[in-house]
Amino acid sequence: MSGFLFYHLQAKGFPHWGYDYWFKMDTQQVPDLFQEGAGYAWPGIPYGDPFEIYPGPNGPIDSIRWEVFAESLQDYQLLQTAGIPPDSPLLKDLKTYADFPKSEAWIDKTIAAIKKLSDRPVQFIANTGFRADHTGGNVKLRASGLDPSLQGSFFSNQFADAGQGATIMSHQNTQNHMDALKMPSAGVPSDTFLEDRRRKFHNDDSIEMFWEPNAVTDGDSIVHFRRADVIVTGDIFTTTQYPFIDIHNGGSVQGEIKALNDILNRTVYEHEEDGGTLVVPGHGYLSNEHEVLEYRDMVVIVRDRVRDMINKGATLEQVKAARLTADYDTRYGKSTGPWTTDMFVEAVYSGLKQPAAAASK
C-alpha cells in the first residue's frame, strides 16, 4: 500500500521511530525479541512496531515487515517505470491508508487500467525456462495475442501459428523439455534459438535473449530490454531461496555462477551499486545490481566451502552436517517444500564431485 500512496502523494520520505529500538520501554534492557515483540508495552505499542530488523549473530536479520515495505517501494518504482502519472485516475481516490482498496475486484480493475496503456495484442512471450511456474500461463497469455490480420499473411511463411496468438520464444532446450513433459501444444514455444543469443526490435526497444547453458537447467535464458534497461532473469536469480540447480536437467553450480556473472556484466548502477538497471527475479522483489552481486557472492562462497570439504575427503552427509550455509539460511534457507537447503547443498556437492556427469544430464 505504501508504494502506491507515496507515489500518488509524491512523498519524499517518511519518519519511522523504531527501526532498531530493541529495549524494554524506558529501560536499557533487551528482551527476547523473537518472543516479545512490543518491549513489554502492549497494548500501548503493537507487536513488531518498535523495530524493522532483528539483531542476529552475524548482523541484522530482516523482518517480514521490512520485506513487505521493500516490496512496496518496488511498486513505487514500477509505477514510475511504467510512466503512470501520480495524478492518474487509477490512483486519484487514494488519500490515506483507510482509502486503499482491498478487494480482488480492485486488483482486476487495476490490471485492466494498465492494459489501457496499449490496445495492441500481446505479440511475444519469452520463456526463460521450462518449469511450470514460469510457463503455466502460456496458453492463456498466448490467446490474448490473437490477431486475425496476420493469418495467411507474409508472417505465416515464417511462423505456422502467426496471428493465432502471441509468439512464444525460448531456447531450443526449453522447448525440448516441454515437449518431453507433454505440455499443451498451444503453450509450447514455436520460436526457438540454438546459439547464444536471440534478438528482436520491438516497441522501440532492442530486446535480447541470452542462453545461459547449464545454470539452473540446460535451457535457461535471461532477457535484456536494452532501452528500458531491464533484465529478466528467470530462476537464475531469486530473492527468496537458494538457486534451484536441477542437475538432472543439466544444471550446475559452475554454470549458475557464470550466469550470475553474465547478468552483472550487463547491469549498470546509479550510485554505489544501487539504482540503475532493474533486475526482475524469477521469484521475489524487483532488484538491482546490488542484490544480484550479493546473491552471486553467496553462491560462490557456498561453492568454495563445499569444494574445500570435498578436497578433504568429506562425504555428502558430512558436508550437510557441517551447515556450510548457516550464515545465509535466515534469508534463503528452507527446511520444507520443493527446494530445501539440503537439496541445494546436495546439488552443489554432486556438481563439484562429478561435474561432467552433472552438466550432461
Side-chain angles (χ1 to χ4, degrees), residues 59-81:
I61 299 174
D62 283 355
S63 67
I64 294 175
R65 180 180 188 174
W66 179 254
E67 293 289 345
V68 170
F69 179 67
E71 290 177 1
S72 76
L73 296 184
Q74 308 304 333
D75 292 337
Y76 184 106
Q77 197 167 30
L78 282 170
L79 290 167
Q80 189 176 57
T81 302

Side-chain angles (χ1 to χ4, degrees), residues 212 236 254-267 292-293 296-297 300:
E212 299 295 344
I236 290 169
Q254 302 289 50
E256 169 70 5
I257 292 170
K258 178 185 177 299
L260 291 168
N261 283 331
D262 285 348
I263 295 170
L264 291 169
N265 286 338
R266 293 180 172 86
T267 56
V292 180
L293 183 63
R296 190 280 311 274
D297 288 350
V300 170

Side-chain angles (χ1 to χ4, degrees), residues 12-323:
K12 302 300 182 183
F14 82 106
H16 188 279
W17 72 277
Y19 175 74
D20 57 355
Y21 188 87
W22 294 326
F23 302 109
K24 294 181 183 179
M25 189 57 62
D26 298 325
T27 75
Q28 293 296 309
Q29 300 176 34
V30 179
D32 182 347
L33 301 177
F34 297 95
Q35 298 295 324
E36 168 54 51
Y40 292 100
W42 172 263
I45 296 177
Y47 282 92
D49 193 60
F51 40 82
E52 298 278 359
I53 59 174
Y54 294 81
N58 299 301
I61 299 174
D62 283 355
S63 67
I64 294 175
R65 180 180 188 174
W66 179 254
E67 293 289 345
V68 170
F69 179 67
E71 290 177 1
S72 76
L73 296 184
Q74 308 304 333
D75 292 337
Y76 184 106
Q77 197 167 30
L78 282 170
L79 290 167
Q80 189 176 57
T81 302
I84 296 174
D87 59 353
S88 165
L90 180 67
L91 308 172
K92 68 180 179 63
D93 294 330
L94 303 181
K95 297 180 178 64
T96 69
Y97 286 107
D99 298 326
F100 204 95
K102 301 174 179 65
S103 68
E104 290 188 9
W106 184 84
I107 296 174
D108 292 337
K109 180 182 176 182
T110 301
I111 294 173
I114 292 174
K115 285 184 176 179
K116 288 180 181 179
L117 293 172
S118 173
D119 58 0
R120 291 177 293 181
V122 175
Q123 288 187 283
F124 298 99
I125 302 166
N127 282 170
T128 57
F130 72 88
R131 293 178 59 206
D133 52 341
H134 293 285
T135 61
N138 275 4
V139 174
K140 186 173 183 179
L141 188 58
R142 176 181 177 272
S144 70
L146 178 66
D147 188 352
S149 68
L150 294 180
Q151 296 177 18
S153 69
F154 163 79
F155 293 100
S156 297
N157 296 326
Q158 294 182 298
F159 306 107
D161 59 349
Q164 298 175 22
T167 298
I168 305 174
M169 303 185 298
S170 77
H171 188 266
Q172 181 61 48
N173 288 349
T174 290
Q175 185 199 65
N176 294 343
H177 286 297
M178 294 174 73
D179 283 337
L181 292 170
K182 301 188 184 307
M183 291 185 172
S185 59
V188 175
S190 60
D191 183 358
T192 62
F193 63 103
L194 289 168
E195 302 299 327
D196 294 341
R197 181 176 69 165
R198 178 76 167 87
R199 54 185 176 171
K200 270 191 178 299
F201 191 87
H202 189 63
N203 285 345
D204 296 323
D205 203 342
S206 300
I207 304 167
E208 296 178 294
M209 292 184 72
F210 294 96
W211 180 38
E212 299 295 344
N214 304 119
V216 178
T217 69
D218 61 4
D220 303 294
S221 301
I222 62 173
V223 185
H224 190 188
F225 296 81
R226 293 176 59 181
R227 182 175 182 181
D229 200 17
V230 174
I231 297 176
V232 181
T233 70
D235 281 335
I236 290 169
F237 166 66
T238 79
T239 65
T240 59
Q241 65 179 25
Y242 291 115
F244 197 120
I245 299 173
D246 185 353
I247 61 173
H248 301 293
N249 286 301
S252 69
V253 67
Q254 302 289 50
E256 169 70 5
I257 292 170
K258 178 185 177 299
L260 291 168
N261 283 331
D262 285 348
I263 295 170
L264 291 169
N265 286 338
R266 293 180 172 86
T267 56
V268 178
Y269 63 82
E270 182 178 346
H271 179 67
E272 294 183 353
E273 296 171 0
D274 237 340
T277 305
L278 296 179
V279 181
V280 182
H283 298 273
Y285 56 83
L286 189 66
S287 302
N288 56 32
E289 179 174 308
H290 176 71
E291 285 91 352
V292 180
L293 183 63
E294 284 192 329
Y295 198 74
R296 190 280 311 274
D297 288 350
M298 174 272 294
V299 179
V300 170
I301 289 169
V302 172
R303 185 273 313 269
D304 289 349
R305 290 171 178 174
V306 173
R307 183 164 57 189
D308 182 60
M309 289 196 68
I310 289 174
N311 291 340
K312 293 176 181 177
T315 65
L316 174 59
E317 293 309 314
Q318 288 172 327
V319 170
K320 288 181 179 179
R323 298 192 66 235

